[in-house]
Amino acid sequence: MTTETTEPTQERHVTSGATVWLTGLPSAGKTTIATELAGVLRAQGHRVEVLDGDEIREFVSAGLGFSREDRHTNVQRIGFVAELLARNGVLVLVPVIAPYADSREAVRKRHAENGTPYLEVHVATPVEVCGERDVKGLYARQAAGELTGLTGVDDPYEAPEAPDLRIETQEQSVPESAAAVRALLGERGLA
């Protein structure tokens, strides 16, 4: 009679999770950087999710408007999902405007309470450059009087005072911007 011993199975390439919140004005380059970085991290064997603001508004925060209260609720929902994923070993990239400092601070606090790493990256592209890029046509619609409440134009954007990293996309390429965030993750022992 033979006896088989079972050894616990260990997951290979286990990584600690973290949330990287990329905040900045519309058309600053947040999603572009997150998408580029996600590809790099996945190629290195990391589990990565990108929580895109537009997708979240469609599927998780449908029905919310753009009042200060609704924007805060949206950011808190995204922060909850990000922290949940991050504490389960996923590197979560969140390219979401999150215009109010108190909303971002509440998300940071949730992460801290659960011992989950959180990094804030300010994609500090000037509004003039964002307006030239105008990826979604928001600045043109605002200028034509078809849209009000555009963050950074006629609605406030409270830039982070002390982000973990500040990127000025008008002065570097997308790969360079993604590499800067990747370097920050490496410095913090998160990737």
Side-chain angles (χ1 to χ4, degrees):
M1 175 186 262
T2 60
T3 322
E4 288 185 37
T5 59
T6 327
E7 292 183 27
T9 306
Q10 289 189 340
E11 199 174 319
R12 292 178 187 217
H13 306 294
V14 175
T15 179
S16 64
T19 295
V20 179
W21 198 291
L22 295 99
T23 179
L25 297 173
S27 296
K30 301 175 301 295
T31 300
T32 304
I33 294 167
T35 301
E36 175 82 12
L37 179 58
V40 169
L41 291 168
R42 286 183 184 122
Q44 294 172 346
H46 297 283
R47 295 170 51 199
V48 181
E49 287 295 334
V50 177
L51 299 182
D52 180 70
D54 293 333
E55 291 175 356
I56 294 291
R57 276 207 171 265
E58 182 179 351
F59 297 108
V60 177
S61 294
L64 289 180
F66 291 91
S67 68
R68 184 178 182 106
E69 181 179 289
D70 282 356
R71 288 177 191 243
H72 179 77
T73 299
N74 184 50
V75 168
Q76 296 318 295
R77 288 178 183 177
I78 297 167
F80 173 81
V81 173
E83 196 280 325
L84 180 67
L85 289 167
R87 84 170 109 115
N88 283 285
V90 178
L91 289 173
V92 186
L93 308 177
V94 186
V96 173
I97 296 170
Y100 305 114
D102 61 342
S103 296
R104 294 190 307 267
E105 186 54 35
V107 171
R108 180 185 295 278
K109 184 178 177 186
R110 170 186 295 280
H111 281 69
E113 287 170 355
N114 290 300
T116 306
Y118 176 87
L119 301 173
E120 183 176 72
V121 176
H122 181 203
V123 183
T125 309
V127 69
E128 300 78 24
V129 174
C130 294
E132 290 170 13
R133 291 178 182 169
D134 204 9
V135 178
K136 299 174 191 169
L138 299 174
Y139 293 92
R141 288 179 53 214
Q142 191 277 336
E146 301 168 8
L147 175 73
T148 59
L150 181 59
T151 301
V153 177
D154 59 357
D155 206 56
Y157 176 73
E158 299 169 358
E161 291 181 18
D164 295 282
L165 176 65
R166 189 176 315 277
I167 296 174
E168 296 183 8
T169 62
Q170 74 279 11
E171 300 192 7
Q172 59 189 35
S173 68
V174 171
E176 289 170 332
S177 296
V181 181
R182 174 64 183 89
L184 175 64
L185 285 165
E187 289 167 14
R188 302 288 172 91
L190 299 170

